Amino acid sequence: MTAAEKLIAEEDAHCAPTYRPLPVVVATAEGAWLTDVAGRRYLDLLAGYSALNFGHGNRRLIEAAKAQLERVTLTSRAFRHDRFAAFCTQLAELCGMEMVLPVNTGAEAVESAVKTARKWGYRVKGVPVEMAKIVVAGGNFHGRTTTIVSFSTDPEVRADFGPYTPGFEIVPYGDLTAMRSALTENTVAVLLEPIQGESGVIVPPAGYLAGVRQLTRERNVLFVADEIQSGLGRTGRTFACEHEGVVPDVYVLGKALGGGIVPVSAVVSSAEVLGVFRPGEHGSTFGGNPLACAVALEVIALLRTGEFQARARELGARLHAELGALLGTGTVTAVRGRGLWAGVDIARTVGTAREVSERLMDRGVLVKDTHGITLRIAPPLVVSEEDLDWGLAQLRAVLGA
Ligand SMILES: *Cc1c(COP(=O)(O)O)cnc(C)c1O
């Protein structure tokens, strides 16, 4: 048994089997590269589901974290700390908003956005008690809590976790007519991913987000954009909503906000919306902690340079040109995405997406399959052009294209 095999057997014996990871055991990482316990290197084309937009071991983020580790790491919100004001101000500013509600994980941020929208509905919009409805899209992925899986349409994610939380209406993603008919006087929010990540990097039809923006404004409904995976540079803009010139009422952020170092998530909105809370009505022990704020402040500083958004645009154009060329080879049936983010559907004749991921792993490239036929490609935005080209060459080889 190799060292890796031993670790895998031990992990599988003692960890609840909620994942089926590729059989690679990582020991170290830098930039866009991972090194396993045997010293073998792999190009990371997943980037922790976009939590690692700025790369592994990003020096600026590591230094910010190290400096904060030596100062203070946790106060709880019972007291104030000296990184918190800047975090709230600068994150709100990055979003063109006024207020921030800090939490830890993405699912917690979505839950917090649901609570925010409901409270806003009752206190501001005047929806009768217990009647608030939130409209969501089929194929969504917003996290794993009991309320969030209640409005999932993926049986794998949802089955056996009932009884389910009521108050959600599901409409087909990309269908404005269905959205229009779903909105009622009691609708407090529309909750959407501007691009559906887990579903396979599904980009809605042109004009959809702008249409949702117009509908929600007309009907006094909050447009809540879950930009946890699509935001913070991935698509070539700070937010994926920007591709349609849309500013939602509420951003839900996570993943890359913590720089791949600590979980940092947030709900960001106006003072009218987030101002509905009174002390004691919501909270989180670790939300907005000093270490999280120090890392997130550095993430915000990186995003302010615009460098990462530009890289995602430039390398994204290259990625999509290369992937587009595969369409003619009969090995790939669809390519979707924006910026440095792509969903690639593998032709049945080639094999499952899992099999393709395994073959790519053998060639030193790590990706994640989803829904049987889709490969998701989302390298750290710091990946070099040469490394990206090399990774795509491995993909062509594995596909036999
Ligand atoms: C990952 C993700 C979440 C959940 O984030 P966690 O940190 O895993 O709880 C929610 N929404 C979207 C769009 C995501 O991609």
Side-chain angles (χ1 to χ4, degrees), residues 56-132:
H56 296 275
N58 182 293
R59 287 327 301 169
R60 282 183 62 175
L61 298 179
I62 297 285
E63 291 310 322
K66 275 187 177 166
Q68 192 59 43
L69 278 171
E70 300 293 340
R71 294 178 75 244
V72 57
T73 53
L74 185 66
T75 54
S76 86
R77 296 284 311 285
F79 314 130
R80 298 178 191 254
H81 69 79
D82 64 3
R83 290 292 140 112
F84 194 53
F87 166 74
C88 294
T89 310
Q90 291 182 31
L91 183 57
E93 209 173 83
L94 183 80
C95 299
M97 297 281 178
E98 294 164 327
M99 274 191 182
V100 166
L101 176 61
V103 292
N104 306 286
T105 65
E108 192 187 356
V110 172
E111 286 274 347
S112 303
V114 165
K115 289 172 77 176
T116 303
R118 285 179 172 179
K119 202 169 268 290
W120 173 87
Y122 298 126
R123 296 235 177 122
V124 179
K125 183 168 176 173
V127 170
V129 200
E130 294 280 310
M131 296 296 282

Side-chain angles (χ1 to χ4, degrees), residues 105-108 110 141-143 193 198 226 228-229 255 265:
T105 65
E108 192 187 356
V110 172
F141 181 86
H142 296 288
E193 298 156 85
E198 298 307 297
D226 180 347
I228 289 171
Q229 193 164 160
K255 291 197 167 103
S265 301

Side-chain angles (χ1 to χ4, degrees), residues 185-199:
E185 284 158 18
N186 294 335
T187 309
V188 295
V190 167
L191 166 64
L192 289 179
E193 298 156 85
I195 293 176
Q196 291 188 328
E198 298 307 297
S199 222

Side-chain angles (χ1 to χ4, degrees), residues 39-58:
R40 193 159 176 231
R41 297 178 80 225
Y42 301 84
L43 181 65
D44 182 0
L45 293 187
L46 177 68
Y49 302 90
S50 290
L52 286 152
N53 282 0
F54 311 100
H56 296 275
N58 182 293

Side-chain angles (χ1 to χ4, degrees), residues 22 353-361 365 367 369 375:
L22 287 170
R354 172 75 185 197
E355 285 161 359
V356 172
S357 322
E358 284 166 358
R359 284 181 233 151
L360 276 170
M361 187 193 77
V365 175
V367 290
D369 60 295
L375 278 190

Side-chain angles (χ1 to χ4, degrees), residues 5-286:
E5 283 165 350
K6 257 190 217 145
L7 289 169
I8 290 169
E10 187 180 344
E11 172 180 324
D12 290 351
H14 298 289
C15 179
T18 55
Y19 282 84
R20 185 160 76 100
L22 287 170
V24 55
V25 183
V26 173
T28 61
E30 198 184 339
W33 289 88
L34 300 162
T35 303
D36 75 7
V37 288
R40 193 159 176 231
R41 297 178 80 225
Y42 301 84
L43 181 65
D44 182 0
L45 293 187
L46 177 68
Y49 302 90
S50 290
L52 286 152
N53 282 0
F54 311 100
H56 296 275
N58 182 293
R59 287 327 301 169
R60 282 183 62 175
L61 298 179
I62 297 285
E63 291 310 322
K66 275 187 177 166
Q68 192 59 43
L69 278 171
E70 300 293 340
R71 294 178 75 244
V72 57
T73 53
L74 185 66
T75 54
S76 86
R77 296 284 311 285
F79 314 130
R80 298 178 191 254
H81 69 79
D82 64 3
R83 290 292 140 112
F84 194 53
F87 166 74
C88 294
T89 310
Q90 291 182 31
L91 183 57
E93 209 173 83
L94 183 80
C95 299
M97 297 281 178
E98 294 164 327
M99 274 191 182
V100 166
L101 176 61
V103 292
N104 306 286
T105 65
E108 192 187 356
V110 172
E111 286 274 347
S112 303
V114 165
K115 289 172 77 176
T116 303
R118 285 179 172 179
K119 202 169 268 290
W120 173 87
Y122 298 126
R123 296 235 177 122
V124 179
K125 183 168 176 173
V127 170
V129 200
E130 294 280 310
M131 296 296 282
K133 277 267 193 300
I134 294 178
V135 176
V136 299
N140 72 72
F141 181 86
H142 296 288
R144 302 287 195 168
T145 63
T146 44
T147 286
I148 294 171
V149 302
S150 293
F151 57 83
S152 172
T153 53
D154 181 348
E156 198 173 50
V157 164
R158 185 176 192 272
D160 299 332
F161 295 126
Y164 301 107
T165 307
F168 299 92
E169 181 99 30
I170 303 168
V171 297
Y173 189 60
D175 184 341
L176 273 179
T177 310
M179 172 76 71
R180 184 177 294 111
S181 339
L183 301 182
T184 72
E185 284 158 18
N186 294 335
T187 309
V188 295
V190 167
L191 166 64
L192 289 179
E193 298 156 85
I195 293 176
Q196 291 188 328
E198 298 307 297
S199 222
V201 195
I202 313 292
V203 182
Y208 180 63
L209 298 175
V212 171
R213 176 64 287 187
Q214 195 186 339
L215 266 179
T216 48
R217 190 171 284 132
E218 283 167 10
R219 306 289 285 272
N220 193 25
V221 168
L222 299 178
F223 182 0
V224 181
D226 180 347
E227 293 251 20
I228 289 171
Q229 193 164 160
S230 59
L232 309 186
R234 174 56 55 191
T235 66
R237 301 277 166 207
T238 306
F239 302 106
C241 280
E242 287 176 52
H243 292 281
E244 289 204 1
V246 162
V247 180
D249 298 296
V250 179
Y251 283 113
V252 187
L253 303 177
K255 291 197 167 103
L257 190 56
I261 298 175
V262 278
V264 187
S265 301
V267 181
V268 188
S269 186
S270 63
E272 177 196 299
V273 172
L274 281 173
V276 295
F277 286 109
R278 297 288 165 265
E281 291 178 350
H282 194 54
S284 162
T285 303
F286 286 91

